Amino acid sequence: MSPDAVVLVAGSANLDFAVRAPHVPAAGETVLGHGFATFPGGKGANQAVACARAGGARTRMLLALGEDAFAAPVEASLREAGVTCEIVRVRDAATGTAFVCVSDDGENAITVTPGANARLHPAHLPALDGVRCLLLQLETPLPTVVAWARAARVAGVTVILNAAPAQALPAELLTAVDVLVVNEGELATVAGHRGGIAADLAAIDVAEVIVTLGARGCCARLDGGLHVQPGFRVDAVDTTAAGDTFCGTLAAAIARGLPVAEALRRACAASALACTRHGAQASVPAADEVDALLAGFADPAGDAYDDLAAYCAAAR
């Protein structure tokens, strides 16, 4: 295991405007909220914070920010988490923003305005010397993500892609990806929905594909077989950054050389802890908190693994 392995996260950074409400509004519905706050967010920045804080890895981030008041808290949050920032300053676009509604049962709905994130270009990718893993998402332009992934593949860097927000992915991107992470809905979009989780995983031409399943845990297709990791039971209050926490913690574990089964267990534990707190980056736990949960949480009985494996194998 290499504690000095570096993860480069290249992607989005936003300021989140979050409101609490009894439930997430349906189309055309107005709901009275009962709380408001702003939080640094964005999938890329959330994952970078998780990589550094929950994963304990040396983390760099390539991001773009506008020259406005929203940029300062975004940058400050990253640096406070120990992330080394490589910032593209954009004069004629605002810092990215996200508008988040969190329901009282912990679910959320999010609308993102990319702003400066849309100005990231292939040439912005820094030198990859010393980088073990490159972690990408899809909140920056797809051609840029493709170019970054291909450059990392040529350099021998492990490419991890969180395919969110969901969209069909070109073959030229998939062939440059080593590890693909999606949630259940994103998996169906990327795979074209073949009828079940196992079938969808098998349909994607990437060496390792991992699907997060919320409180259930996760399922991974590794070396042609399925590996399941049941989730950790917690009292969830806000799921906003749960998936990002999973991705950042996973990337850190992979970069540090942990076995895949242990990496998935750590990522699930960190993700569960993130659900017990409000906000995006503010909800990401520290590495010692993840260690404590893992140490104090008995492995689920065999039935939990069997039930999750059956859920993943079932046709939809």
Side-chain angles (χ1 to χ4, degrees):
M1 185 172 71
S2 174
D4 295 327
V6 175
V7 178
L8 173 63
V9 182
S12 59
N14 299 326
L15 190 65
D16 293 352
F17 294 77
V19 62
R20 299 284 304 186
H23 63 270
V24 174
E29 180 184 13
T30 298
V31 175
L32 290 178
H34 51 76
F36 172 78
T38 59
F39 303 100
K43 284 191 169 296
N46 293 346
Q47 291 177 17
V49 168
C51 189
R53 186 185 297 158
R58 292 176 57 196
T59 307
R60 296 162 52 194
M61 184 177 180
L62 170 64
L63 66 154
L65 297 173
E67 295 186 345
D68 52 30
F70 296 161
V74 174
E75 180 179 352
S77 181
L78 287 164
R79 295 194 186 280
E80 183 180 353
V83 177
T84 299
C85 297
E86 303 184 23
I87 302 173
V88 176
R89 301 286 182 181
V90 181
R91 290 186 175 183
D92 58 346
T95 296
T97 53
F99 300 88
V100 185
C101 180
V102 181
S103 68
D104 288 341
D105 62 3
E107 294 304 314
N108 64 73
I110 305 172
T111 301
V112 175
T113 302
N117 296 309
R119 302 299 183 86
L120 284 167
H121 301 304
H124 288 137
L125 187 70
L128 297 173
D129 298 339
V131 174
R132 182 71 58 82
C133 293
L134 174 65
L135 177 56
L136 303 168
Q137 319 78 34
L138 298 177
E139 287 186 337
T140 48
L142 185 59
T144 297
V145 174
V146 172
W148 289 343
R150 296 177 68 179
R153 169 58 65 91
V154 170
V157 173
T158 297
V159 178
I160 305 171
L161 172 65
N162 175 216
Q167 58 184 283
L169 301 180
E172 61 180 334
L173 176 56
L174 292 175
T175 57
V177 171
D178 297 290
V179 182
L180 180 70
V181 184
V182 289
N183 66 22
E184 199 166 351
E186 292 156 359
L187 174 64
T189 298
V190 174
H193 192 51
R194 304 301 176 93
I197 290 172
D200 285 353
L201 290 171
I204 299 174
D205 189 19
V206 173
E208 298 181 2
V209 186
I210 300 164
V211 57
T212 59
L213 302 168
R216 295 179 185 273
C218 69
C219 177
R221 194 204 75 223
L222 309 169
D223 299 322
L226 291 184
H227 177 91
V228 296
Q229 171 60 56
F232 294 78
R233 294 187 179 277
V234 296
D235 294 325
V237 298
D238 184 353
T239 62
T240 300
D244 294 333
T245 300
F246 181 98
C247 292
T249 307
L250 178 75
I254 291 174
R256 296 172 62 201
L258 293 179
V260 174
E262 185 177 348
L264 293 175
R265 190 165 182 262
R266 288 193 66 83
C268 279
S271 179
L273 286 171
C275 293
T276 65
R277 301 163 184 169
H278 295 295
Q281 292 164 30
S283 72
V284 176
D288 59 356
E289 294 177 291
V290 179
D291 292 338
L293 177 61
L294 291 171
F297 199 100
D299 284 333
D303 288 348
Y305 287 89
D306 292 341
D307 290 347
L308 183 55
Y311 175 80
C312 294
R316 296 285 191 274

